[in-house]
Amino acid sequence: MNDILAKLNIQALNQGVSTGLNWINTNGAVIDSYSPVDGKLLARVTTCSREAYEQVIATATAAFAEWRMVPAPKRGEIVRQMGEALRENKEALGQLVSYEMGKSLQEGYGEVQEMIDICDFAVGLSRQLYGLTMHSERPMHRMYEQWHPLGIVGIISAFNFPVAVWSWNSMLGWICGNVCIWKPSEKTPLCAVAVQNIISKVLKANNIPEGVCSLVQGGRETGEWLAADTRIALISATGSTRMGRQVGAAVAARLGKSILELGGNNAIIISQHADLDMSLVGAVFGAVGTAGQRCTSTRRLIIHESVYDSFVQKLVNAYKQLKIGNPLDQHNHVGPVIDKDAVANYLQAIEQCKQQGGTFLVEGGVLEGAGFESGCYVKPCIAAVTNDMAIVQHETFAPVLYLIKYSDLNEAIALQNGVPQGLSSAIMTMHLREAEQFLAHTGSDCGIANVNIGTSGAEIGGAFGGEKETGGGRESGSDAWKAYMRRQTNTINWSTQLPLAQGIKFDL
């Protein structure tokens, strides 16, 4: 890992505040980054002081005045080069993501690939920031709409995807003409330093002004500065529903714009018409991938009563085959959770489930001994529950899977929708009518609804986000770019008269 850190220019002590090429010395507290893989200290990062924050804001404000004047296709060319830089560093950055966060090496590589993919998407989008033309009710008038840059975009990201979510926001933000300030999770600060180091080479090669790509490391206080700052046009925040409520309230209080990507309580409906072998793969990966720490992780399986026993047996047998250990070893299926606080939350959820009447079919627990010295390795577990249990209504960010039995598809959809969150959902069925019912407006109430794939993982081509307590925001593909711009309606009168709309007469 020392070679990887050196390649990514990670020092023993790193500055945590940057405006692009420049790193700012601060008197902020120091974050020690310990790996959940083995409990070892990787490196340290200084956090942002209020003085440094003000310097970043001033630099970003000046940069926006210049960056917005660069034609969008030329901004796209810069993003294209960023994608190439990420390709060159995919292996090293993917390994750092795996080691600092704890996800499997393949998932670490996959996260960096997602960054590369959104760069490709954004490059094409830089030539497609289209507005509509409309017919005016007044003769010799032309109406159309334009999309203009917003200004400074503040990005608050979570530990579970320490680099990809930043790229969803920043790449779109940049091609839209905005400048970006990133506050990464304090649990994965080195990934952010590494990304800034990679991107800075592109900024330097193209003489991009300081402040287009800024980084502010810190804890909750730093996020609060961003959320309350009237100089920031848009806050995109990814994290827990609790965090989202606080950020959303602060941004709304100043009538700012926000994109909130919050908790998920995702379910897969296993129909009696499902391909059970295929369903098994989707269910197990969805539940244990990233040690259950994805916002799209599968939390609930809603299984038809006629296949319940046979599918549960398959599921239990599959869990017996899971290999838990160092995520850098590609033979292992499950790595550690992020830290000991996450372990405590996992254990608390198990205890609450038992107290509320849940029956564990695969028991949980914390692993000890050789290879598990960090104390962050836990056993994926399975419990039979009812949907109305308080713990089932809650998002547990750990590999705890809840099983619920159903008899009728309408009942299954009601169970699927019967939680406060609304991010991702899926049905496993070979029955066309069931699939269409699930996707209809009377079906899943989630922002993502899938047929014959699981809840976990999403392609960058589609807008990502969910409803209800998930926050309602959309990032990444489709027309999510519109959230990063301001819409302006324009009317041009090319006649010799001044007729008023709605036929109003106003004679002088």
Side-chain angles (χ1 to χ4, degrees), residues 392-453:
V392 179
Q393 294 285 308
H394 173 75
E395 180 191 35
T396 300
F397 226 54
V400 181
L401 181 62
Y402 300 119
L403 307 185
I404 302 162
K405 189 183 295 186
Y406 82 93
S407 57
D408 172 78
L409 184 58
N410 290 322
E411 176 194 4
I413 291 173
L415 289 168
Q416 135 70 34
N417 294 343
V419 292
Q421 309 83 2
L423 178 52
S424 187
S425 59
I427 186 170
M428 296 292 186
T429 181
M430 305 303 290
H431 198 294
L432 178 62
R433 287 180 175 173
E434 284 193 333
E436 291 295 335
Q437 182 178 345
F438 181 73
L439 298 179
H441 64 280
T442 53
S444 170
D445 65 359
C446 292
I448 299 169
N450 299 325
V451 176
N452 291 331
I453 63 171

Side-chain angles (χ1 to χ4, degrees), residues 87-245:
R87 282 182 172 90
E88 293 170 5
N89 290 275
K90 177 179 176 178
E91 185 172 346
L93 184 56
Q95 289 184 52
L96 177 60
V97 168
S98 177
Y99 191 57
E100 187 176 33
M101 186 267 152
K103 64 175 59 177
S104 75
L105 185 58
Q106 285 302 314
E107 290 181 83
Y109 290 151
E111 181 167 350
V112 181
Q113 185 61 49
E114 198 162 301
M115 302 173 78
I116 295 166
D117 292 344
I118 197 66
C119 287
D120 290 347
F121 180 88
V123 172
L125 185 62
S126 69
R127 294 182 181 270
Q128 300 179 77
L129 303 177
Y130 301 139
L132 298 174
T133 59
M134 292 79 74
H135 288 279
S136 174
E137 66 187 44
R138 292 171 284 187
M140 299 186 210
H141 282 60
R142 181 163 70 90
M143 291 180 66
Y144 68 102
E145 68 181 19
Q146 299 184 86
W147 294 87
H148 295 307
L150 278 175
I152 301 176
V153 173
I155 303 165
I156 301 172
S157 63
F159 74 85
N160 58 336
F161 281 85
V163 293
V165 170
W166 166 82
S167 69
W168 291 358
N169 288 277
S170 58
M171 300 307 168
L172 294 195
W174 284 329
I175 63 100
C176 290
N178 303 307
V179 299
C180 299
I181 300 175
W182 180 21
K183 184 237 166 285
S185 170
E186 59 271 36
K187 296 184 178 184
T188 50
L190 301 181
C191 287
V193 172
V195 168
Q196 190 78 353
N197 287 336
I198 292 168
I199 297 302
S200 67
K201 295 176 182 178
V202 178
L203 301 175
K204 182 178 181 180
N206 291 274
N207 198 28
I208 302 302
E210 287 291 312
V212 169
C213 174
S214 297
L215 173 68
V216 289
Q217 300 262 17
R220 175 176 175 175
E221 185 180 42
T222 308
E224 290 173 346
W225 295 342
L226 288 165
D229 197 329
T230 57
R231 295 166 293 183
I232 296 180
L234 171 68
I235 292 289
S236 179
T238 303
S240 68
T241 297
R242 177 191 57 79
M243 180 276 289
R245 283 198 177 99

